[in-house]
Amino acid sequence: MSTTERPRILVVGGGYVGLYAARRIQKKMRYGEATVTVVDPRSYMTYQPFLPEAAAGNISPRHVVVPLRRVLPKAEVLTGRVTTIDQDRKVATIAPLVGEAYELPFDYLVIALGAVSRTFPIPGLAEQGIGMKGVEEAIGLRNHVLEQLDKADSTTDEEIRRKALTFVFVGGGFAGAETIGEVEDMARDAAKYYKTVSREDMRFVLVDAADKILPEVGPKLGKYGKEHLESRGVEVYLSTSMDSCVDGHVVLKNGLEVDSNTIVWTAGVKPNPALSRFGLPLGPRGHVDTQATLQVTGTDYIWAAGDNAQVPDLVGRKAGNENAWCPPNAQHALRQAKVLGDNVISGMRGFPQKEYSHANKGAVAGLGLHKGVAMIVVGKVKIKLKGRLAWYMHRGYHGMAMPTFNRKIRVLADWTLGMFLKREVVSLGAIETPREEFYEAAKPAPAAAQQEPKKTEAKAS
């Protein structure tokens, strides 16, 4: 479709905000009113709150992602990256997966790039660290952990065993606490099938620079979460950080030193650095500066929302906090995407913009099967739950929030089967290098090996 025939709404990013905003726009606009184009380096959206469960094998990795082309059949979905944006000409430069970059004109722009892992220049982190922002990392972590159990079971070298069975997690927010809770659960189950590996042989370490974990659910539930993990044998070190991890030798600021093959980094996120090339007004931490209408400050044709946007929290400001901003979580992203989609349609038709305002409904976190914490806000009352009931709230909320009916049913099916069948604890680490075995088989045989059959044939004659 050409923009000479109809205006183009360019959505940069196919994550939570990008997907829901594009769906909302298509639902609200008239037939042929505009062309919606979504650009993302991946052809699917990942529901990140389910990554810890995918890493533990409770949910199939295919079921935590949503294919963009299936969900947005009437939109143009381009697999690539937006490298630059010329606001004067209203043109974006697209770098596809293959081939040369090209320019794409647009009339309205939605910035939904989301966030990336926030890292620091720690020696060894780039080489040793494992993130938890994508389904690839979650499945890679699962295979890696199970592979460490295989290594430990196959060697008599105590130093190798100790390093393989030591797991270090940096970051005690939702991602870190949920991931270590789920992975510890999986490793505990997997150990039952090894003759020389038990849970007592493993060492799980959680590190956070703050003085508490799970700050999103409040200090009391955060304290409960810490005590619960410690009761399962997890070492929790607060008010400290990692100084280095060269070759897996982890050195913490509090003096602790351990050797580990598994270093999981979940110490926060930051806005996608590509934003700095778009010429947009940015806040002090690199977020796109937006108004309460989700319009980028100083423009009337660009909108932004989600983890890459600095959105004023009107509810917090009415309560007296003049510097309140919406936190980067799925609860706000979903609701912002809907308001953004409506505002794009209103802007295209010349109607007034609606301000985004949402009161916090609470937070839920799972810490493994049948274990969790939840803080539910009902009016001015905060209901705090822990244990199995909180875990049900966690699964119920995220099960409902999972995009598309198709994926909701698939996730529910995984959970239902998990009630009756044992957890799968097989490692498919070779899936990361699927051609290795074929490559070895196809390599030319060494010269000595080629000559051997000739000698045998000569003797036979």
Side-chain angles (χ1 to χ4, degrees), residues 185-196:
D185 233 10
M186 177 190 71
R188 184 184 295 272
D189 283 349
K192 299 174 183 177
Y193 302 99
Y194 292 87
K195 293 184 177 180
T196 64

Side-chain angles (χ1 to χ4, degrees), residues 54-57 127-132 135-153 160-169 179 183 186-187 190 194 197 202-204 247-248 250 259-265 424-432:
E127 295 79 13
Q128 302 291 326
I130 303 172
M132 275 294 288
V135 67
E136 305 88 354
E137 293 172 317
I139 304 311
L141 174 61
R142 168 181 167 77
N143 290 330
H144 174 81
V145 169
L146 292 174
E147 185 180 351
Q148 299 312 303
L149 302 189
D150 290 340
K151 286 182 179 179
D153 188 55
I160 294 177
R161 274 176 56 88
R162 191 182 307 112
K163 190 172 183 179
L165 296 178
T166 300
F167 308 95
V168 179
F169 291 72
T179 303
V183 171
M186 177 190 71
Y194 292 87
V197 176
M202 304 178 204
R203 185 178 185 183
F204 283 85
D247 295 329
V250 177
D259 290 317
S260 172
N261 288 336
T262 310
I263 301 168
V264 183
W265 182 267
E424 283 291 344
V425 290
V426 60
S427 170
L428 296 177
I431 201 171
E432 298 170 20

Side-chain angles (χ1 to χ4, degrees), residues 323-342:
N323 295 316
W325 305 97
C326 295
N329 57 35
Q331 182 181 155
H332 280 286
L334 170 60
R335 291 166 174 81
Q336 287 174 4
K338 293 180 179 179
V339 174
L340 186 152
D342 291 344

Side-chain angles (χ1 to χ4, degrees), residues 2 34 38 46 101 122 126 182 197 216 239 249 285 292 315 346 389 445:
S2 172
V38 180
T46 303
I122 298 173
E182 293 286 359
V197 176
E216 300 90 344
S239 301
H249 182 67
R285 296 186 178 181
V315 175
S346 297
L389 184 57

Side-chain angles (χ1 to χ4, degrees), residues 17 21 24-25 110-111 293-294 303-305 335-345:
V17 170
R24 187 76 169 187
I25 291 168
V110 175
I111 304 297
T293 59
L294 304 177
W303 292 262
R335 291 166 174 81
Q336 287 174 4
K338 293 180 179 179
V339 174
L340 186 152
D342 291 344
N343 282 349
V344 170
I345 296 296

